[in-house]
Amino acid sequence: MTSRLLSFLLFAATSAGTDLTSLKKLGAKITETAGVVTQVSVKCDAFSESDFRVLGSFTNIKDLTISGRTITNETMALLTGLTELERLSSDGIQLTDEGFKHFASFKNLKSLSLFHPAFRSEGFTGSGLAHLRALPSLERLTFAGSTAGDIALEAIGQLTQLKEFRTWHTAQTQAGNAHLLKLPLTAIRIGQRLPNWGKDSPISFDESTLPTLAKLKTLESLELTEARLTAKIIPHLLALPKLTKLKIETVDISAGDVDAIKAALPNCKVDFKPMSDAEKEALLVKKLRL
């Protein structure tokens, strides 16, 4: 090995160590595989532009969890070099609809979670989610805790590569849910909207949603949460020929009705956790105003 090559390798190793130290100083939790950073979880609330550049320099990251209002159109652009990303989970990002164009760089992305995206921001209607059509490998999407509604569901309905979709605490109406029928989904989790205090808050999920879900003949797994349900949903569940898993969680439903559902679906695993009266009052009545 020549002295010049040795010097270069030592410089590269030292630089990598310095960058890794810089990333750790930002409070990031890091996982390395064969000496390469592949997983990062970090709160970005106090991030500067240079901090985002440091994060964006670790181009081998496959799994990234980020949160904070500093994640904007401008700072998200500094992360577009993370082309190896397969999983991205975010909380509280402040992208506008236009800002979602930056996701087009993540061609290997398989799973995307968007918690509280641009909450109460007029710059985000959800239409920008249509930019995710550029991600051929994207199979799983979580869209939760958003004040965006039917426009967002319409954009999501264009993501025909999706296999799994999870949504709750979002502002869509029953009409918005119908956009999901455009997708070949095998798994859905659907829950209730949060009420918009002082304004009309249409229900996003109740028994009247089941006829829509019953048209998704590809469904294998279904999670129902934050509603009041009865055994009247059984005919709609029977209309799902591939259903093998049903989870009923934080739902006001009688034990007898659950037993009837289990009897009607002998080939489906039904997972149910009953709610106490105190839990019903706190969640369904006071929080969700059902």
Side-chain angles (χ1 to χ4, degrees):
M1 183 179 296
T2 66
S3 58
R4 179 175 296 181
L5 178 58
L6 180 59
S7 297
F8 172 79
L9 292 175
L10 288 173
F11 171 77
T14 302
S15 299
T18 301
D19 287 343
L20 187 57
T21 300
S22 299
L23 187 56
K24 288 181 177 179
K25 284 183 178 180
L26 296 176
K29 296 180 180 179
I30 298 169
T31 298
E32 294 182 75
T33 303
V36 175
V37 176
T38 56
Q39 184 175 354
V40 172
S41 177
V42 62
K43 294 181 179 180
C44 306
D45 302 271
F47 266 33
S48 65
E49 181 178 306
S50 61
D51 295 332
F52 278 102
R53 291 187 184 279
V54 169
L55 177 59
S57 69
F58 287 84
T59 55
N60 290 306
I61 297 175
K62 294 183 179 297
D63 189 333
L64 177 63
T65 299
I66 51 177
S67 63
R69 297 179 63 85
T70 56
I71 305 169
T72 63
N73 292 5
E74 293 72 27
T75 56
M76 195 69 196
L78 302 177
L79 303 181
T80 55
L82 303 179
T83 56
E84 296 299 312
L85 274 182
E86 296 179 1
R87 178 186 177 276
L88 174 58
S89 179
S90 68
D91 191 356
I93 62 174
Q94 297 299 301
L95 272 64
T96 66
D97 289 303
E98 178 67 13
F100 275 84
K101 67 182 180 181
H102 297 307
F103 282 83
S105 299
F106 309 136
K107 299 298 184 184
N108 292 311
L109 198 65
K110 299 177 181 178
S111 176
L112 174 61
S113 296
L114 300 168
F115 297 105
H116 312 104
F119 196 75
R120 292 198 176 98
S121 170
E122 295 183 359
F124 177 64
T125 66
S127 64
L129 296 174
H131 286 294
L132 303 179
R133 288 177 297 181
L135 307 180
S137 299
L138 185 65
E139 295 185 346
R140 296 181 295 277
L141 175 64
T142 296
F143 183 66
S146 175
T147 45
D150 288 355
I151 294 176
L153 267 291
E154 182 178 8
I156 290 168
Q158 300 176 44
L159 310 180
T160 54
Q161 72 272 43
L162 288 182
K163 303 298 183 185
E164 302 177 19
F165 179 59
R166 294 158 33 101
T167 186
W168 63 95
H169 295 179
T170 50
Q172 82 270 19
T173 66
Q174 301 288 5
N177 290 329
H179 292 294
L180 300 178
L181 299 180
K182 305 169 187 176
L183 306 178
L185 297 172
T186 59
I188 284 182
R189 173 188 168 101
I190 187 166
Q192 196 55 257
R193 90 291 182 259
L194 290 177
N196 192 350
W197 295 96
K199 298 181 180 180
D200 181 41
S201 300
I203 298 298
S204 62
F205 166 60
D206 60 13
E207 286 191 347
S208 68
T209 313
L210 269 295
T212 297
L213 298 179
K215 297 176 183 179
L216 286 165
K217 304 303 182 183
T218 51
L219 273 188
E220 300 172 8
S221 176
L222 177 59
E223 295 185 33
L224 308 175
T225 183
E226 299 180 336
R228 301 185 189 276
L229 303 176
T230 69
K232 292 179 180 179
I233 67 174
I234 288 176
H236 308 301
L237 297 175
L238 290 173
L240 297 170
K242 297 185 177 183
L243 191 67
T244 57
K245 296 180 181 179
L246 174 64
K247 186 174 184 178
I248 302 174
E249 184 179 35
T250 56
V251 167
D252 183 9
I253 184 172
S254 72
D257 283 349
V258 173
D259 289 340
I261 290 172
K262 290 180 178 179
L265 302 171
N267 298 319
C268 179
K269 180 182 178 181
V270 179
D271 183 9
F272 169 66
K273 181 180 179 181
M275 298 182 74
S276 68
D277 290 340
E279 289 171 330
K280 293 175 186 177
E281 178 68 18
L283 177 63
L284 300 182
V285 177
K286 292 183 177 180
K287 183 176 182 179
L288 297 174
R289 291 194 294 167
L290 299 182

